[in-house]
Amino acid sequence: MNVYCYKTSATRNAVSSNGIWEGGNPLEFSLPLLSVQLLLVVAITRILHFLLKPLKQPRIVSEIMGGIILGPSVLCRNKTFKNTIFPSRGQPVLDTIATFGLMYVIFVIGVKMDPALVVRSGRKSLVLGLSGLVLPFAITTPVCMHAVRSLTKEVGDRFAFTFALTTTFSMSSFAVLVPILSELHLLNSELGRIAMSASMTNDLIGWVIMLIYIVEDAGRVSPAAPAWAFFSIAALFVFIVFVVRPIAIWVVDHTPPGKPVDEVYIFVFLLIVLVVGFYSDIIGTNSFHGALMLGLVIPDGPPLGAALVEKVEAIVEAVLLPLYYALTGLNTDFSTFGGDARGLAKLQPVVFFACLGKLVGILLPSLYFGIPFQDALSLSLFMNAKGIVEVVTYHMWKVNKLVDEEIYSYLMLSTVIITAVVIPIATYLYQPSRRYSVYKRRTIQHHKQESELRLLACVQDQSHVPTTINLLEASYASPTAPIAIYVLHLVELVGRAAPLFIPHKLPRSNSSVSTTTSATSASTSTLTSTAAAAAAAAASIPESDHIINAFLLHEQRHHHTVSVHPFTTISPYSSMHDEVCRLAVEKRTSLIILPFHKRRIIRSHVEVNSSLRTVNRKVLSTAPCSVGILIDGVTAGGGKGTLSGDFLHNVIVFFFGGEDDREALAYGARMANHPGVTLTIIRFLPSRSIRDDQAERRLDNRLLDEVKLMSARNKRVVYREALVGDMEEIVEEMKALDESCYDLVMVGMRHRSNSVLSDGLSSWGDCPELGVVGEFLASLDFESKFSVLVVKQQDQAWLHQDAGEVKAFLVEEEGFYPAG
């Protein structure tokens, strides 16, 4: 037993300092000392994370390493530093603040989790979760029993330690994997979904084991203690499930759609966390388990779950959670390894066989379910990652004297090493973009005219709908060349951990389009039972109803020629491109239409969404088909007669040359078949001799010859050529558009090198995803009333030669994101 003696401040107030001008040392008082400790911990952990992030190291590695650097292994070996910055008298305050913050961190993790994920995960995730738990437990137990025999002094209870250690090493917790997958932008990946579902199975089993252990351990006090322990845990469960959850649901039901939750309710739930934490400590389950159980019963996502996460997450996860990790590092002393190392040497096989058992337990079932070997190996490595659950568990063992300082330090070191090794390897092995590689051209230019054209239209809010529908209307659907429109509503993931993908299977009616209310109820009723949570999440996004109904109205106007298939994705912006590209691969679309991240409200004001820009750039770099970025004009809509009467649309295509311009020209040529569309093509030719790619020029001329023949037969198609010698002449030609009545301007993103274009616009602006011409058309200096579509043709580098390999990545059309 360690006894710490220290001298308290002579002043009456031992919390705040009177100042250095009165001769006092501020670090002798609790508040200044805690401030310095927090600043030092946050600074060192952030610097380490900045340095290690390029190596794909998760934050937990840098935060524990920061604590180790500050602790007795490195800086606190210096007695002056230790007595000044981390004196023994400051330890209780540091422990209390860190543990208090961790309780709210666990609560937020519970709020973000969806317990129904275990039920919805399906057979694949259930088998992976069980095999990844049972096999390492079976392999590790005999090895651990042999090792513990030599740890008679270091381990307080050999049986309890054997059971606890093997169980901990065999678990793969949801709370550990989600932060890591989120940092690596893999939440939306197929591997990420499987890992989260399998880890939820592990968590459920871990809860059952914890309850059994608490009840069994109480039997050491008296024969009646287990019954009282079980009754107290049951009382906590009843209070949380049958009192707190109905209150949470009532708050959600009485919060108007799109409105924030009343601050009073937020305050009440934060107080309930303290009450549950206090009661949990009294009955022996500790505050963390009570906080997690409380968080699980609160509906995730908006409005309540998102509000609670927003209020708690910023300060707790940014400051107090790193403080707890650093605290564990401060308690880690590698100098204790210098003694008798025979016990630690016998613990090393325990760690090795636990990781090996987890690796085999996940790898073999994954291969059985048809997951490619490289992805299965990556999944096995991710499931071996360690995190907050292990850190909290080891710290509790040390506090409860189940292990000594030497074994605790070894376990913390193994946590850092395992996570630091497996995560970069798993990230290197798993490349989600491989799923988006296809074995044929998926472009407008190479699309067969007498077959269905499939378009994926992404919208973020209702403001993007009118211009998108005008573009789809101009695309011209006919009985011989129908159009299938896959509408994807992009919604940011807030207040929940697992992303959701919601297919809206709405009934079609020849008489009238569904109203907002009926559409929502129809969507909910026709969804399968495994998507019930997704339907509930969709109901919390009223904007989706209006967006879906607008596109369904477009479908009704074009009966038998247009089919609309709406979807909603709720995911982080950092990985939202995975959902877009995944849907494009499965539905075999030829073009993805993305909204521009800038929206012009009035002529002198622009609203910018940097997160949407991130999505657009990632889609452009990984898309399995052509991509178009649609930019709204000053006046929304653009087209005339969209909702009633004849549709009239004036379209112009700027052609400089190259594959992207050919894609834009091919799209424009399809639009020219529409009786209400007038198409103008302007080909910019250099007035001086330049070097260019002869093969590209031949492809350009071949397509342009077809357009010239079309203009000869169709008076609504106008083709002309413009000789330009420098950038000024190009700009003047474009500015003449303001005097014309065009509704849509189409241009390619990239253009042939060594053209006149590269001499002037190559340094234009800061939106390379639009290309030099597209960005000029979208700039504030060019205040246009028309919309702009910047087209990028599918990169041929993404085409797979091995069709069999690609087909293995494709998902069956009728079972998108199947459960399990």
Side-chain angles (χ1 to χ4, degrees), residues 597-609:
H597 70 278
K598 293 182 180 180
R599 182 170 57 191
R600 199 175 304 172
I601 308 301
I602 55 177
R603 286 185 176 270
S604 59
H605 179 70
V606 171
E607 184 180 89
V608 180
N609 188 331

Side-chain angles (χ1 to χ4, degrees), residues 538-561:
S540 65
I541 310 172
E543 194 173 27
S544 287
D545 302 326
H546 302 293
I547 292 173
I548 292 171
N549 278 335
F551 283 94
L552 287 178
L553 185 63
H554 175 69
E555 179 191 60
Q556 186 193 17
R557 291 197 306 269
H558 300 276
H559 192 51
H560 299 311
T561 61

Side-chain angles (χ1 to χ4, degrees), residues 399-597:
V399 172
N400 295 330
K401 307 301 181 183
L402 190 61
V403 297
D404 68 350
E405 189 172 355
E406 184 179 10
I407 294 180
Y408 171 80
S409 300
Y410 176 79
L411 293 174
M412 291 302 303
L413 178 63
S414 68
T415 297
V416 174
I417 292 177
I418 291 172
T419 306
V421 171
V422 301
I423 296 302
I425 297 176
T427 307
Y428 174 78
L429 292 175
Y430 183 66
Q431 300 295 331
S433 58
R434 286 189 296 113
R435 286 180 52 89
Y436 315 141
S437 301
V438 294
Y439 60 95
K440 62 184 296 186
R441 298 307 300 268
R442 293 185 180 174
T443 68
I444 302 289
Q445 181 185 356
H446 299 90
H447 176 75
K448 296 180 180 179
Q449 293 184 358
E450 301 302 319
S451 61
E452 182 183 59
L453 176 64
R454 300 187 173 195
L455 305 175
L456 172 56
C458 301
V459 293
Q460 188 190 35
D461 54 49
Q462 296 182 63
S463 65
H464 298 139
V465 172
T467 305
T468 304
I469 290 182
N470 280 330
L471 177 64
L472 297 174
E473 173 70 38
S475 300
Y476 185 60
S478 66
T480 58
I483 295 179
I485 303 170
Y486 299 93
V487 181
L488 184 60
H489 183 200
L490 310 177
V491 181
E492 183 182 10
L493 181 73
V494 178
R496 54 169 57 97
L500 289 174
F501 187 89
I502 309 166
H504 301 276
K505 298 180 181 179
L506 302 179
R508 266 72 178 183
S509 174
N510 295 333
S511 58
S512 62
V513 70
S514 303
T515 61
T516 301
T517 304
S518 62
T520 304
S521 60
S523 175
T524 304
S525 62
T526 55
L527 285 172
T528 62
S529 58
T530 58
S540 65
I541 310 172
E543 194 173 27
S544 287
D545 302 326
H546 302 293
I547 292 173
I548 292 171
N549 278 335
F551 283 94
L552 287 178
L553 185 63
H554 175 69
E555 179 191 60
Q556 186 193 17
R557 291 197 306 269
H558 300 276
H559 192 51
H560 299 311
T561 61
V562 172
S563 60
V564 173
H565 311 275
F567 300 85
T568 297
T569 175
I570 306 176
S571 57
Y573 281 121
S574 58
S575 57
M576 193 175 285
H577 67 285
D578 282 326
E579 301 285 20
V580 177
C581 295
R582 190 192 304 262
L583 186 59
V585 167
E586 186 216 338
K587 301 305 180 183
R588 301 187 295 276
T589 60
S590 298
L591 178 67
I592 300 173
I593 303 170
L594 301 171
F596 189 45
H597 70 278

Side-chain angles (χ1 to χ4, degrees), residues 618-792:
K618 290 184 177 181
V619 171
L620 285 168
S621 64
T622 59
C625 61
S626 297
V627 181
I629 297 181
L630 184 58
I631 307 166
D632 287 344
V634 175
T635 56
K640 297 171 283 297
T642 302
L643 298 179
S644 61
D646 296 331
F647 177 81
L648 301 176
H649 217 58
N650 293 326
V651 181
I652 184 170
V653 177
F654 287 146
F655 191 91
F656 294 89
E659 57 184 1
D660 294 349
D661 280 339
R662 291 196 295 271
E663 184 74 359
L665 183 58
Y667 197 13
R670 180 187 176 95
M671 293 181 180
N673 295 321
H674 195 294
V677 171
T678 300
L679 176 65
T680 302
I681 302 106
I682 300 180
R683 183 186 187 185
F684 290 91
L685 291 172
S687 58
R688 52 186 173 83
S689 177
I690 61 170
R691 290 185 305 135
D692 60 3
D693 189 328
Q694 295 299 321
E696 287 288 317
R697 178 176 283 271
R698 285 195 294 270
L699 292 174
D700 292 344
N701 291 335
R702 185 181 307 169
L703 184 60
L704 287 167
D705 288 342
E706 297 177 5
V707 172
K708 291 176 184 177
L709 290 175
M710 181 185 297
S711 65
R713 298 192 302 264
N714 190 342
K715 294 182 179 180
R716 290 180 289 100
V717 179
V718 178
Y719 172 83
R720 68 183 180 89
E721 297 177 349
L723 294 177
V724 290
D726 53 28
M727 193 57 236
E728 290 185 4
E729 295 182 11
I730 296 177
V731 171
E732 289 300 322
E733 187 74 35
M734 291 181 180
K735 285 189 173 181
L737 294 177
D738 255 347
E739 301 173 2
S740 306
C741 298
Y742 289 107
D743 301 302
L744 176 66
V745 176
M746 298 172 61
V747 68
M749 187 188 84
R750 301 163 298 185
H751 308 281
R752 280 202 311 266
S753 59
N754 300 322
S755 67
V756 176
L757 198 62
S758 62
D759 296 336
L761 279 179
S762 57
S763 59
W764 182 270
D766 59 350
C767 293
E769 66 270 21
L770 296 181
V772 290
V773 178
E775 185 174 1
F776 177 70
L777 292 172
S779 67
L780 277 176
D781 296 333
F782 195 58
E783 295 182 344
S784 57
K785 296 181 180 180
F786 48 76
S787 299
V788 179
L789 182 67
V790 180
V791 180
K792 173 180 177 291

Side-chain angles (χ1 to χ4, degrees), residues 247-538:
I247 295 175
I249 295 175
W250 182 89
V251 171
V252 172
D253 292 341
H254 286 76
T255 300
K259 300 295 182 180
V261 178
D262 197 306
E263 294 286 342
V264 175
Y265 301 137
I266 302 297
F267 176 73
V268 169
F269 281 104
L270 295 181
L271 284 183
I272 294 176
V273 177
L274 296 178
V275 174
V276 170
F278 173 71
Y279 179 80
S280 300
D281 269 333
I282 291 178
I283 64 176
T285 61
N286 75 58
S287 59
F288 308 141
H289 293 114
L292 180 61
M293 187 187 300
L294 178 64
L296 287 173
V297 303
I298 294 178
D300 58 339
L304 182 58
L308 288 170
V309 171
E310 182 183 5
K311 296 295 182 183
V312 176
E313 196 170 35
I315 182 66
V316 170
E317 291 200 359
V319 179
L320 299 185
L321 182 58
L323 179 62
Y324 186 85
Y325 285 138
L327 179 63
T328 60
L330 287 169
N331 292 324
T332 303
D333 189 359
F334 294 153
S335 63
T336 58
F337 291 175
D340 185 8
R342 288 179 299 175
L344 294 182
K346 290 189 176 182
L347 276 180
Q348 293 176 13
V350 178
V351 176
F352 173 77
F353 280 103
C355 295
L356 180 63
K358 175 73 70 175
L359 189 72
V360 176
I362 297 294
L363 181 62
L364 294 182
S366 299
L367 296 176
Y368 172 78
F369 284 114
I371 299 177
F373 175 80
Q374 192 168 324
D375 292 354
L377 180 59
S378 181
L379 176 62
S380 304
L381 293 172
F382 273 120
M383 297 293 282
N384 263 302
K386 308 300 177 185
I388 187 172
V389 172
E390 288 76 19
V391 171
V392 172
T393 302
Y394 300 153
H395 188 68
M396 289 173 56
W397 291 353
K398 185 175 183 296
V399 172
N400 295 330
K401 307 301 181 183
L402 190 61
V403 297
D404 68 350
E405 189 172 355
E406 184 179 10
I407 294 180
Y408 171 80
S409 300
Y410 176 79
L411 293 174
M412 291 302 303
L413 178 63
S414 68
T415 297
V416 174
I417 292 177
I418 291 172
T419 306
V421 171
V422 301
I423 296 302
I425 297 176
T427 307
Y428 174 78
L429 292 175
Y430 183 66
Q431 300 295 331
S433 58
R434 286 189 296 113
R435 286 180 52 89
Y436 315 141
S437 301
V438 294
Y439 60 95
K440 62 184 296 186
R441 298 307 300 268
R442 293 185 180 174
T443 68
I444 302 289
Q445 181 185 356
H446 299 90
H447 176 75
K448 296 180 180 179
Q449 293 184 358
E450 301 302 319
S451 61
E452 182 183 59
L453 176 64
R454 300 187 173 195
L455 305 175
L456 172 56
C458 301
V459 293
Q460 188 190 35
D461 54 49
Q462 296 182 63
S463 65
H464 298 139
V465 172
T467 305
T468 304
I469 290 182
N470 280 330
L471 177 64
L472 297 174
E473 173 70 38
S475 300
Y476 185 60
S478 66
T480 58
I483 295 179
I485 303 170
Y486 299 93
V487 181
L488 184 60
H489 183 200
L490 310 177
V491 181
E492 183 182 10
L493 181 73
V494 178
R496 54 169 57 97
L500 289 174
F501 187 89
I502 309 166
H504 301 276
K505 298 180 181 179
L506 302 179
R508 266 72 178 183
S509 174
N510 295 333
S511 58
S512 62
V513 70
S514 303
T515 61
T516 301
T517 304
S518 62
T520 304
S521 60
S523 175
T524 304
S525 62
T526 55
L527 285 172
T528 62
S529 58
T530 58

